[in-house]
Amino acid sequence: IGDYVLYTACKQTKSWQDMGYIKIPVSVNFSMRQFQDTNLIAKVAEILDKSALPPEYLVMEITESMDGEKKSQIAIMLKEFNNLGAAIAVDDFGMQYSSLNRLKNMPFSKLKIDMQFIRGITFNEKDRGVTRTIIQLAKNLDLMVVAEGVETKEQLELLREWGCDEVQGYYFYKPLSADEFEKILEREALIQHSLAKN
């Protein structure tokens, strides 16, 4: 099922690119079971080739707890994945076995701050401190940082003020079908076209 999900996501993203919509990367969660497959990187390369999606538009998301298991094998696979030209994000950062050494030595591109911290940033000093620290840490390591679970304008404004690169959450959209998302891309394309004419 992991191969099917990856292929479907890559194929759909390439389809939207071919339609002329804004080129945005697609993030796909990879499980520990997938990392037990020694042919994983070859399969990813084949799927990228079959879907014709340029690798820079694929982001592999792994949880930091998975990175802790079978560390050396996963480290090799992550470096091979990175060599394909795709990006790697650490999902739910701060909730498991955070290791600064791992962040330093693994080819990560993004840190995703777990929503448990984001929920409290407007009223809890500890959540605020942890979130700001993670953002600063990511910046110091030249990583992009993504906040998960943004649900209010106040949260968004604080994250912007602290230099967070990207956010995701219900403040913008709940999970959407491909058709619903395509309508958003179409609307965005019309806005951009209108702005370009003016």
Side-chain angles (χ1 to χ4, degrees):
I1 196 168
D3 294 349
Y4 172 78
V5 168
L6 179 60
Y7 176 68
T8 302
C10 290
K11 183 180 177 185
Q12 181 64 76
T13 302
K14 182 64 168 74
S15 173
W16 284 328
Q17 290 183 357
D18 291 344
M19 293 167 75
Y21 296 135
I22 184 172
K23 293 185 176 182
I24 54 176
V26 61
S27 294
V28 179
N29 291 93
F30 282 70
S31 68
M32 188 62 212
R33 185 176 189 127
Q34 286 173 283
F35 273 90
Q36 292 168 352
D37 181 355
T38 54
N39 293 320
L40 175 63
I41 304 304
K43 285 182 179 179
V44 173
E46 182 182 345
I47 287 171
L48 285 169
D49 184 57
K50 192 175 174 185
S51 66
L53 180 70
E56 61 266 29
Y57 293 105
L58 174 62
V59 181
M60 169 192 278
E61 291 194 7
I62 66 167
T63 62
E64 56 182 331
S65 60
M66 181 167 62
D67 178 38
E69 301 173 39
K70 299 190 176 178
K71 183 179 169 185
S72 59
Q73 176 191 334
I74 291 177
I76 292 167
M77 294 176 85
L78 289 178
K79 285 173 183 168
E80 289 175 357
F81 184 85
N82 189 251
N83 289 338
L84 291 176
I88 305 165
V90 184
D91 198 14
D92 302 330
F93 184 78
M95 295 304 292
Q96 294 287 334
Y97 313 107
S98 304
S99 165
L100 299 183
N101 190 49
R102 241 180 265 146
L103 285 182
K104 182 183 76 170
N105 293 315
M106 296 287 197
F108 298 131
S109 307
K110 293 184 178 184
L111 286 187
K112 298 186 73 178
I113 306 173
D114 189 87
M115 68 175 66
Q116 299 299 325
F117 298 118
I118 304 304
R119 283 183 183 148
I121 61 174
T122 57
F123 58 85
N124 185 299
E125 283 299 325
K126 289 186 178 179
D127 285 338
R128 187 184 300 237
V130 167
T131 301
R132 291 182 72 174
T133 300
I134 293 173
I135 292 171
Q136 190 58 56
L137 172 66
K139 298 293 181 183
N140 290 342
L141 294 173
D142 199 26
L143 301 173
M144 289 189 69
V145 61
V146 183
E148 298 181 303
V150 176
E151 297 182 349
T152 69
K153 184 179 179 182
E154 292 77 16
Q155 291 169 340
L156 178 63
E157 288 173 349
L158 280 174
L159 290 163
R160 277 183 176 155
E161 179 186 326
W162 298 337
C164 186
D165 297 299
E166 297 176 358
V167 299
Q168 65 183 61
Y170 286 4
Y171 179 71
F172 295 100
Y173 300 103
K174 293 188 176 182
L176 302 170
S177 68
D179 289 340
E180 291 171 317
F181 188 68
E182 189 170 315
K183 288 174 185 172
I184 293 169
L185 291 174
E186 186 176 344
R187 190 169 64 235
E188 182 66 24
L190 289 171
I191 291 169
Q192 294 302 320
H193 181 69
S194 175
L195 290 173
K197 286 176 70 176
N198 297 332

